Every structure is written in C-alpha cells, then in structure tokens.
Amino acid sequence: MKKFIIFSFLAAAVFTTGCKKLLDQIPGDAQPGDEVLKSSANVYAVLAASYERFTNNDFMGGNFTKTSELYGDQINFVNVTGGAEVQFTQRGFSSFNSIGRSLWFTGYDAIGRANVVIKALTENSYSDLKDSAKNIWNGEALFIRGVSHFELTRLFAKPYTSNPTSDAGVVIRQKALSATEAQIPKQRATVKESYDAAIADLKLAETLLPSANGGARATKWAAKAYLARIYFNMADYINAFAYANDVITNSGYDLGTDVAVPFKTNGNLSAPTTGVVMMILGDAGVQRGSFWNSDLNNTYLPLGGTVYSLITANGGTRYTSLTAMSTSPARGISTKWSQLGASIGINVPLIRLSEMYLIRAEARVQNGGFTDAAVRADYNAVRAVAGVSADVTATGAVALLTIIRNERAVEFFTEGDSYHELRRLKQNVRGIAYNDATGLLKIPDGEVRANLGIIQN
C-alpha cells in the first residue's frame, strides 16, 4: 500500500511482472541488464524505484529527520532506553547500528538506480520518448543523486566548516555499475569533493527540470532551493543568498497563512502545498512514532526545555497548533507529525519556503552591506504566518543574527535542522566539538566489508 501511495503519480508507467522481479534482484550499485535499458517504460520503472528508495522511511522520508534530531541537542532522551537509538545518548556507535545501516544503504540504493536512469537516457534513444520527457527524467535522477550524496555527507561526515579538503566525506557513486564493477572497492571522497559532486548534479538538474512537475517530484525550484541549502551549509553566503532569493522572487510559491498546512494530510496532490518547495508523499511513520504519541508522556523523542521555551515565548501558532505540553514531567511534544496515520498520501516537507527566507535573511547579514529593514522583512515574513508580531526595532549584525537563528529553532523543530546549524556555526553539540568524529554514526559493516580499508568514523 505504501509504495502505491508514494508512486500514484507514476501509475502510467509500465511495471511488468518481469521488470518487478528484475528490480527486486538488482543490487543498489549494480546496473540492470540490457533488456531493461532497451525499454523506456522500464527505465521509467527504474526512476520510480529510485524515487521510492529516496523517499523511503529508511532515508529522506523518515530516518534522515530522526537521525538529525538524535544527533542534535533539542531532544530529551528520557524515553530512549534501548535499541539503535540508545547509542546516540552516549555516542557509542557500532557499525551494526540499524539506523546507520538503513540510511547508508537505502541512500546508495536510490543513487544506484538514479545512475541507471542517467546511463540509459545518455546511451539509448527511444522512439516513444520525447526529448522533453528525457530531459525531465534525467533531471529527476540527477536531483536524487545530488541530494542523496549531500545528505549522506551531512549524516556520516564532519561538517564543511571543519576541514573540507581533508576530512573524509562519502563514497561518490556517479556511474551505473556492472555486478563485477560493484564489487571493486572505492574509498571515501573528501567532504569538499562530496559537496562539489552534489552541486554539479543539482546545477545540471535545474537546467533540465520544469518549474512544475507534480506535487512529489523534483522541479527546478527544488534543485535551486537545495543549492541554497548546500551553499548555506558551506558558509558560502553569496551563493546561498543568490539561490534563496531566486526561489523567493521567481518561483511563484508563497508562505501561506497557516503553519500547520505543510504537515496536514492531503493525498493525491498535483502541486506543492502552500509553503513547501518540495514534499515527499509517503506515510511518515518514523516521524509520527518518534516525536508524538497519543499519550504525551510516552512520546519517544520529546523536545528539550530550551527549544520548548523558545517556542513558548515566540512561537505564535507554532506553539498552539504544532506543540503540546506533557505535564508530568514537564517537557514539550511536537505535534507536527501527529496527523500522520491516514491511509492516503501524507505531506512530508523535504524543503520549505520559510527556510529560503531565513537563509536569505542571514546571508544578507553575513555578506555585509545590508539594511536592517531588509533583514527584518525576511524573518518577519516567516513570523507573520505564525501570527507573531513583526519586529521593527532590531538593528546591527549581532542582534539580527540572534533573532534569525532563534527563529530557525522555533520554525524547524523536529525537522532535522538544528544539528546541522550547530555544526555550520561551529558550536558544541551536547558537550563535544562540532567536528568530533565520535559524534558520528559509523560507516556500516556491509560497506566496510565491501570496501576494505575504508576510512571509518
């Protein structure tokens, strides 16, 4: 049922019984046989399989968010007493950690299938496939590959703000491999090389993708928004501003008037929900099970007191409609994901428009030559959606940056943002340095066995 929900937009694709069986048997890094690549319908099926792995609960549809929050400092670990999650409490990670394994291999499965699509579209011509469709499929595969490499780097490597030219990033896979080639060891690239690979893919994707492509498929605006996120993580504020400004100014998207809309059940969408640049259409069971429980005291990953205090003080409707308070003991509960249980498609925002406004606001300050009013206008636009009064008094870089960063914490709680912000800003994370490798998941055992001598975290 889940896969049908996620890929209802691909219903026109020809999923023959033979192709299904073949796709189930292909290793994530391996190239399917020529019989698949001869058919454009089968190539489309491989693209659908790549989307499924990308949006799966084991990757961007769930565990990416959960892992980012477990890494960070906004979660109260009171109910984490066992399982793979308990390793995050003391950062005593094992290469057998089930969360790390699912993230790594599901992400590379998405990348591997994207590589198959890119190879097929590059090397084969199809009489039944228009160039416009070919370009879109190619752009979608590049988007999946670029974002996957980037997000895997953020989860398994030190931040770009450490030593990107020497720190180990991830294994870069940009080629559809034969079964034999897939067994050849390949070492981790540097963090810089990993980021550069993601940027190159997304820059090409933005030239191939359309402005609108269905509610749960990549568009040129999704590629541009991700480029803004990547450059922001690199502390390249000139490029971050340029891409964020482009999305805000030219995409036609708007922030809306209701903070809960991006998280509401709304299946079979043909366009992004208000306030969302790209969403994932899935079941979001990981978020629901992690950050909310009908018995609030049994919520697995409640909010810590610091961020909850920020939300209480300045959250507006983000407090009244997106959080709750458990009273014994007192701790905050995120209800962003509490609606996720219906049998139809669910909105899981991959990247939201409010992030573009807050990136642009901070980039204005970081780049210098800003006006206080322009910076305030950006974060006030985000505040307005939550019914928070506009700030008309803050002046100067220090005051403005403090407000912007507090606004990010209030806006993106339980969406996996705060951990990556701490590392961008070179802040300690729960008592250890932002670039301490002991704070990272280990490269999974399966990858270590296949890639002898790989640099381990």
Side-chain angles (χ1 to χ4, degrees):
M1 179 65 180
K2 173 186 168 188
K3 290 185 180 181
F4 175 78
I5 292 171
I6 296 175
F7 292 104
S8 60
F9 69 90
L10 292 176
V14 180
F15 289 90
T16 65
T17 301
C19 186
K20 282 184 180 178
K21 290 179 179 177
L22 180 60
L23 288 172
D24 288 341
Q25 296 169 359
I26 299 169
D29 286 334
Q31 173 189 332
D34 291 340
E35 67 274 16
V36 171
L37 304 186
K38 288 178 181 177
S39 165
S40 63
N42 284 350
V43 173
Y44 197 34
V46 179
L47 176 61
S50 182
Y51 263 117
E52 192 282 326
R53 304 313 290 158
F54 179 73
T55 63
N56 194 277
N57 269 338
D58 285 336
F59 192 40
M60 296 307 298
N63 270 342
F64 170 80
T65 300
K66 178 179 180 178
T67 301
S68 296
E69 292 295 340
L70 287 169
Y71 269 151
D73 67 353
Q74 290 190 344
I75 295 299
N76 184 325
F77 285 93
V78 63
N79 290 329
V80 180
T81 58
E85 293 84 356
V86 78
Q87 294 183 11
F88 288 84
T89 63
Q90 298 298 323
R91 302 182 181 89
F93 294 113
S94 162
S95 61
F96 297 95
N97 183 286
S98 60
I99 296 175
R101 293 168 86 181
S102 68
L103 283 164
W104 184 274
F105 291 114
T106 307
Y108 276 106
D109 200 355
I111 290 169
R113 298 182 193 282
N115 283 334
V116 170
V117 173
I118 294 167
K119 175 182 172 64
L121 295 174
T122 301
E123 296 183 357
N124 296 284
S125 60
Y126 304 101
S127 59
D128 61 338
L129 185 61
K130 295 181 179 179
D131 286 344
S132 57
K134 179 179 176 181
N135 286 338
I136 292 172
W137 296 3
N138 197 23
E140 289 175 290
L142 286 163
F143 177 88
I144 291 169
R145 189 174 75 180
V147 172
S148 296
H149 277 127
F150 168 64
E151 298 296 13
L152 286 168
T153 304
R154 291 214 291 174
L155 293 179
F156 286 93
K158 295 179 182 181
Y160 198 93
T161 48
S162 179
N163 294 295
T165 59
S166 58
D167 290 337
V170 294
V171 179
I172 298 174
R173 297 289 189 184
Q174 294 180 313
K175 178 183 177 183
L177 305 176
S178 67
T180 300
E181 289 172 325
Q183 304 306 312
I184 299 173
K186 186 174 184 181
Q187 297 304 303
R188 295 169 71 177
T190 66
V191 167
K192 183 180 186 303
E193 289 167 339
S194 301
Y195 271 65
D196 287 347
I199 289 170
D201 279 347
L202 289 167
K203 282 188 172 181
L204 181 54
E206 71 167 290
T207 68
L208 298 172
L209 289 167
S211 294
N213 195 25
R217 299 177 70 169
T219 67
K220 77 172 183 176
W221 297 115
K224 287 174 181 284
Y226 244 99
L227 283 164
R229 176 183 285 182
I230 293 173
Y231 282 121
F232 194 67
N233 273 254
M234 296 169 65
D236 178 347
Y237 300 112
I238 293 175
N239 279 308
F241 175 88
Y243 277 100
N245 183 64
D246 192 6
V247 174
I248 293 166
T249 305
N250 299 314
S251 69
Y253 299 157
D254 67 88
L255 288 167
T257 58
D258 183 348
V259 295
V261 164
F263 307 94
K264 288 182 177 178
T265 298
N266 193 354
N268 195 27
L269 294 168
S270 59
T273 300
T274 298
V276 179
V277 180
M278 183 178 174
M279 69 177 183
I280 291 171
L281 193 61
D283 64 19
V286 169
Q287 287 95 326
R288 179 182 171 89
S290 298
F291 304 116
W292 181 83
N293 190 298
S294 56
D295 178 354
L296 298 184
N297 284 317
N298 286 328
T299 298
Y300 191 45
L301 300 177
L303 293 165
T306 301
V307 67
Y308 191 76
S309 296
L310 284 173
I311 299 167
T312 304
N314 205 37
T317 55
R318 289 170 295 203
Y319 172 74
T320 57
S321 65
L322 290 182
T323 62
M325 177 60 104
S326 170
T327 57
S328 179
R331 53 184 177 268
I333 310 298
S334 170
T335 57
K336 283 182 178 179
W337 312 106
S338 63
Q339 303 174 74
L340 307 183
S343 59
I344 61 173
I346 302 299
N347 293 348
V348 182
L350 182 66
I351 193 160
R352 298 203 281 126
L353 189 61
S354 55
E355 182 177 349
M356 298 297 102
Y357 275 88
L358 295 177
I359 286 176
R360 188 171 73 172
E362 178 153 346
R364 286 185 195 275
V365 179
Q366 298 283 8
N367 289 330
F370 63 92
T371 65
D372 295 331
V375 176
R376 292 196 300 259
D378 278 341
Y379 63 73
N380 280 334
V382 177
R383 285 180 162 201
V385 182
V388 178
S389 299
D391 168 36
V392 296
T393 61
T395 59
V398 173
L400 291 169
L401 288 175
T402 298
I403 294 173
I404 294 165
R405 291 165 185 172
N406 284 341
E407 193 64 35
R408 282 191 77 108
V410 171
E411 180 73 9
F412 298 117
F413 62 90
T414 68
E415 292 182 62
D417 181 73
S418 64
Y419 167 69
H420 305 293
E421 277 294 280
L422 288 170
R423 300 208 302 166
R424 176 180 69 88
L425 297 171
K426 301 184 179 183
Q427 301 294 307
N428 287 353
V429 184
R430 287 195 287 124
I432 68 170
Y434 74 102
N435 59 352
D436 189 333
T438 63
L440 295 170
L441 284 161
K442 300 292 186 184
I443 304 300
D445 60 301
E447 184 68 39
V448 172
R449 289 196 304 271
N451 254 334
L452 298 178
I454 195 169
I455 297 172
Q456 181 60 278
N457 287 331

mmCIF file of all heavy atoms in Angstrom, residues 287-288 291-293 296 299 301-303 308 322-324 332-338 413-415:
data_model
loop_
_atom_site.group_PDB
_atom_site.id
_atom_site.type_symbol
_atom_site.label_atom_id
_atom_site.label_comp_id
_atom_site.label_asym_id
_atom_site.label_seq_id
_atom_site.Cartn_x
_atom_site.Cartn_y
_atom_site.Cartn_z
ATOM 1 N N GLN A 287 8.448 9.649 11.725
ATOM 2 C CA GLN A 287 8.238 10.903 12.439
ATOM 3 C C GLN A 287 7.106 10.779 13.461
ATOM 4 O O GLN A 287 7.229 11.220 14.604
ATOM 5 C CB GLN A 287 7.917 12.044 11.461
ATOM 6 C CG GLN A 287 9.105 12.520 10.658
ATOM 7 C CD GLN A 287 9.180 11.847 9.302
ATOM 8 O OE1 GLN A 287 8.806 10.685 9.167
ATOM 9 N NE2 GLN A 287 9.661 12.562 8.308
ATOM 10 N N ARG A 288 6.017 10.186 13.023
ATOM 11 C CA ARG A 288 4.875 10.046 13.933
ATOM 12 C C ARG A 288 5.256 9.217 15.152
ATOM 13 O O ARG A 288 4.968 9.582 16.291
ATOM 14 C CB ARG A 288 3.694 9.402 13.202
ATOM 15 C CG ARG A 288 2.464 9.190 14.088
ATOM 16 C CD ARG A 288 1.349 8.501 13.298
ATOM 17 N NE ARG A 288 0.263 8.097 14.167
ATOM 18 C CZ ARG A 288 -0.783 8.852 14.475
ATOM 19 N NH1 ARG A 288 -0.848 10.073 13.981
ATOM 20 N NH2 ARG A 288 -1.727 8.407 15.258
ATOM 21 N N PHE A 291 8.176 11.388 17.408
ATOM 22 C CA PHE A 291 8.001 12.705 18.004
ATOM 23 C C PHE A 291 6.628 12.960 18.596
ATOM 24 O O PHE A 291 6.367 14.048 19.117
ATOM 25 C CB PHE A 291 8.310 13.785 16.960
ATOM 26 C CG PHE A 291 9.687 13.660 16.359
ATOM 27 C CD1 PHE A 291 9.852 13.381 15.008
ATOM 28 C CD2 PHE A 291 10.813 13.800 17.148
ATOM 29 C CE1 PHE A 291 11.109 13.261 14.456
ATOM 30 C CE2 PHE A 291 12.082 13.679 16.600
ATOM 31 C CZ PHE A 291 12.235 13.402 15.252
ATOM 32 N N TRP A 292 5.743 11.981 18.511
ATOM 33 C CA TRP A 292 4.389 12.183 19.033
ATOM 34 C C TRP A 292 3.810 10.865 19.483
ATOM 35 O O TRP A 292 4.101 9.798 18.919
ATOM 36 C CB TRP A 292 3.488 12.793 17.947
ATOM 37 C CG TRP A 292 2.082 13.051 18.418
ATOM 38 C CD1 TRP A 292 1.638 14.130 19.108
ATOM 39 C CD2 TRP A 292 0.950 12.183 18.257
ATOM 40 N NE1 TRP A 292 0.305 14.015 19.381
ATOM 41 C CE2 TRP A 292 -0.149 12.825 18.862
ATOM 42 C CE3 TRP A 292 0.768 10.944 17.659
ATOM 43 C CZ2 TRP A 292 -1.415 12.261 18.892
ATOM 44 C CZ3 TRP A 292 -0.502 10.378 17.684
ATOM 45 C CH2 TRP A 292 -1.581 11.031 18.281
ATOM 46 N N ASN A 293 2.985 10.923 20.527
ATOM 47 C CA ASN A 293 2.245 9.763 20.998
ATOM 48 C C ASN A 293 0.933 10.270 21.565
ATOM 49 O O ASN A 293 0.895 11.353 22.164
ATOM 50 C CB ASN A 293 3.054 9.020 22.074
ATOM 51 C CG ASN A 293 2.450 7.675 22.439
ATOM 52 O OD1 ASN A 293 1.338 7.583 22.932
ATOM 53 N ND2 ASN A 293 3.209 6.626 22.186
ATOM 54 N N LEU A 296 0.971 11.634 25.734
ATOM 55 C CA LEU A 296 2.105 12.531 25.575
ATOM 56 C C LEU A 296 3.300 12.128 26.425
ATOM 57 O O LEU A 296 4.446 12.303 26.014
ATOM 58 C CB LEU A 296 1.681 13.968 25.889
ATOM 59 C CG LEU A 296 0.589 14.560 24.989
ATOM 60 C CD1 LEU A 296 0.336 16.018 25.358
ATOM 61 C CD2 LEU A 296 0.954 14.437 23.519
ATOM 62 N N THR A 299 5.714 9.841 24.658
ATOM 63 C CA THR A 299 6.352 10.261 23.413
ATOM 64 C C THR A 299 7.823 9.864 23.445
ATOM 65 O O THR A 299 8.531 10.161 24.411
ATOM 66 C CB THR A 299 6.228 11.778 23.221
ATOM 67 O OG1 THR A 299 4.842 12.112 23.126
ATOM 68 C CG2 THR A 299 6.943 12.231 21.959
ATOM 69 N N LEU A 301 10.529 10.730 21.592
ATOM 70 C CA LEU A 301 11.539 11.781 21.493
ATOM 71 C C LEU A 301 10.890 13.151 21.724
ATOM 72 O O LEU A 301 10.651 13.912 20.784
ATOM 73 C CB LEU A 301 12.229 11.741 20.122
ATOM 74 C CG LEU A 301 12.962 10.451 19.763
ATOM 75 C CD1 LEU A 301 13.538 10.546 18.346
ATOM 76 C CD2 LEU A 301 14.074 10.144 20.765
ATOM 77 N N PRO A 302 10.594 13.483 22.993
ATOM 78 C CA PRO A 302 10.022 14.808 23.277
ATOM 79 C C PRO A 302 11.075 15.897 23.131
ATOM 80 O O PRO A 302 12.276 15.627 23.074
ATOM 81 C CB PRO A 302 9.567 14.672 24.733
ATOM 82 C CG PRO A 302 10.503 13.659 25.316
ATOM 83 C CD PRO A 302 10.783 12.679 24.201
ATOM 84 N N LEU A 303 10.620 17.139 23.098
ATOM 85 C CA LEU A 303 11.517 18.276 22.982
ATOM 86 C C LEU A 303 12.170 18.605 24.318
ATOM 87 O O LEU A 303 11.552 18.455 25.382
ATOM 88 C CB LEU A 303 10.748 19.510 22.501
ATOM 89 C CG LEU A 303 10.199 19.467 21.080
ATOM 90 C CD1 LEU A 303 9.181 20.578 20.883
ATOM 91 C CD2 LEU A 303 11.326 19.597 20.078
ATOM 92 N N TYR A 308 11.827 24.308 23.708
ATOM 93 C CA TYR A 308 10.413 24.463 24.036
ATOM 94 C C TYR A 308 10.141 25.839 24.632
ATOM 95 O O TYR A 308 9.108 26.450 24.353
ATOM 96 C CB TYR A 308 9.946 23.361 24.988
ATOM 97 C CG TYR A 308 8.438 23.351 25.111
ATOM 98 C CD1 TYR A 308 7.655 22.824 24.081
ATOM 99 C CD2 TYR A 308 7.810 23.925 26.205
ATOM 100 C CE1 TYR A 308 6.265 22.850 24.165
ATOM 101 C CE2 TYR A 308 6.424 23.950 26.291
ATOM 102 C CZ TYR A 308 5.658 23.416 25.265
ATOM 103 O OH TYR A 308 4.291 23.444 25.340
ATOM 104 N N LEU A 322 1.253 23.394 16.827
ATOM 105 C CA LEU A 322 2.272 22.418 16.469
ATOM 106 C C LEU A 322 3.026 21.836 17.656
ATOM 107 O O LEU A 322 3.913 21.026 17.488
ATOM 108 C CB LEU A 322 3.282 23.030 15.491
ATOM 109 C CG LEU A 322 2.761 23.318 14.088
ATOM 110 C CD1 LEU A 322 3.891 23.868 13.232
ATOM 111 C CD2 LEU A 322 2.169 22.084 13.439
ATOM 112 N N THR A 323 2.708 22.254 18.874
ATOM 113 C CA THR A 323 3.325 21.641 20.038
ATOM 114 C C THR A 323 2.280 21.412 21.110
ATOM 115 O O THR A 323 1.191 21.982 21.082
ATOM 116 C CB THR A 323 4.445 22.520 20.640
ATOM 117 O OG1 THR A 323 3.877 23.752 21.071
ATOM 118 C CG2 THR A 323 5.544 22.786 19.649
ATOM 119 N N ALA A 324 2.622 20.556 22.041
ATOM 120 C CA ALA A 324 1.779 20.325 23.207
ATOM 121 C C ALA A 324 2.707 20.199 24.397
ATOM 122 O O ALA A 324 3.916 20.069 24.243
ATOM 123 C CB ALA A 324 0.950 19.054 23.022
ATOM 124 N N GLY A 332 8.223 19.426 26.234
ATOM 125 C CA GLY A 332 7.464 19.772 25.046
ATOM 126 C C GLY A 332 7.275 18.585 24.132
ATOM 127 O O GLY A 332 8.145 17.725 24.007
ATOM 128 N N ILE A 333 6.147 18.547 23.464
ATOM 129 C CA ILE A 333 5.839 17.495 22.494
ATOM 130 C C ILE A 333 5.531 18.155 21.157
ATOM 131 O O ILE A 333 4.709 19.064 21.078
ATOM 132 C CB ILE A 333 4.611 16.651 22.926
ATOM 133 C CG1 ILE A 333 4.748 16.180 24.376
ATOM 134 C CG2 ILE A 333 4.409 15.490 21.960
ATOM 135 C CD1 ILE A 333 5.919 15.272 24.639
ATOM 136 N N SER A 334 6.182 17.706 20.098
ATOM 137 C CA SER A 334 5.867 18.198 18.762
ATOM 138 C C SER A 334 4.664 17.454 18.223
ATOM 139 O O SER A 334 4.630 16.224 18.218
ATOM 140 C CB SER A 334 7.055 17.970 17.823
ATOM 141 O OG SER A 334 6.671 18.224 16.482
ATOM 142 N N THR A 335 3.664 18.208 17.777
ATOM 143 C CA THR A 335 2.505 17.582 17.141
ATOM 144 C C THR A 335 2.495 17.812 15.634
ATOM 145 O O THR A 335 1.481 17.607 14.983
ATOM 146 C CB THR A 335 1.192 18.124 17.749
ATOM 147 O OG1 THR A 335 1.154 19.544 17.601
ATOM 148 C CG2 THR A 335 1.095 17.769 19.222
ATOM 149 N N LYS A 336 3.633 18.239 15.087
ATOM 150 C CA LYS A 336 3.703 18.425 13.637
ATOM 151 C C LYS A 336 3.284 17.161 12.898
ATOM 152 O O LYS A 336 2.641 17.209 11.850
ATOM 153 C CB LYS A 336 5.130 18.787 13.215
ATOM 154 C CG LYS A 336 5.536 20.221 13.471
ATOM 155 C CD LYS A 336 6.942 20.498 12.970
ATOM 156 C CE LYS A 336 7.318 21.952 13.185
ATOM 157 N NZ LYS A 336 8.690 22.264 12.739
ATOM 158 N N TRP A 337 3.713 16.020 13.439
ATOM 159 C CA TRP A 337 3.524 14.759 12.722
ATOM 160 C C TRP A 337 2.354 13.948 13.274
ATOM 161 O O TRP A 337 2.156 12.799 12.885
ATOM 162 C CB TRP A 337 4.805 13.934 12.807
ATOM 163 C CG TRP A 337 6.030 14.716 12.466
ATOM 164 C CD1 TRP A 337 6.988 15.184 13.321
ATOM 165 C CD2 TRP A 337 6.431 15.160 11.167
ATOM 166 N NE1 TRP A 337 7.964 15.874 12.641
ATOM 167 C CE2 TRP A 337 7.646 15.875 11.312
ATOM 168 C CE3 TRP A 337 5.887 15.010 9.879
ATOM 169 C CZ2 TRP A 337 8.322 16.447 10.231
ATOM 170 C CZ3 TRP A 337 6.559 15.581 8.807
ATOM 171 C CH2 TRP A 337 7.751 16.291 8.991
ATOM 172 N N SER A 338 1.542 14.523 14.153
ATOM 173 C CA SER A 338 0.509 13.738 14.826
ATOM 174 C C SER A 338 -0.619 13.309 13.900
ATOM 175 O O SER A 338 -1.344 12.364 14.198
ATOM 176 C CB SER A 338 -0.078 14.537 15.997
ATOM 177 O OG SER A 338 -0.718 15.716 15.526
ATOM 178 N N PHE A 413 11.725 22.889 14.470
ATOM 179 C CA PHE A 413 11.885 21.836 15.468
ATOM 180 C C PHE A 413 11.298 20.518 14.952
ATOM 181 O O PHE A 413 10.295 20.499 14.265
ATOM 182 C CB PHE A 413 11.247 22.231 16.803
ATOM 183 C CG PHE A 413 9.758 22.474 16.765
ATOM 184 C CD1 PHE A 413 8.866 21.431 16.992
ATOM 185 C CD2 PHE A 413 9.255 23.735 16.516
ATOM 186 C CE1 PHE A 413 7.494 21.645 16.979
ATOM 187 C CE2 PHE A 413 7.881 23.961 16.491
ATOM 188 C CZ PHE A 413 6.996 22.914 16.710
ATOM 189 N N THR A 414 11.975 19.437 15.265
ATOM 190 C CA THR A 414 11.669 18.059 14.824
ATOM 191 C C THR A 414 11.649 17.898 13.304
ATOM 192 O O THR A 414 11.035 16.977 12.781
ATOM 193 C CB THR A 414 10.357 17.506 15.423
ATOM 194 O OG1 THR A 414 9.226 18.204 14.904
ATOM 195 C CG2 THR A 414 10.375 17.555 16.932
ATOM 196 N N GLU A 415 12.366 18.782 12.590
ATOM 197 C CA GLU A 415 12.530 18.608 11.151
ATOM 198 C C GLU A 415 13.991 18.365 10.769
ATOM 199 O O GLU A 415 14.342 18.368 9.591
ATOM 200 C CB GLU A 415 11.999 19.835 10.400
ATOM 201 C CG GLU A 415 10.482 19.998 10.499
ATOM 202 C CD GLU A 415 9.986 21.182 9.699
ATOM 203 O OE1 GLU A 415 10.155 21.191 8.460
ATOM 204 O OE2 GLU A 415 9.442 22.119 10.326
#
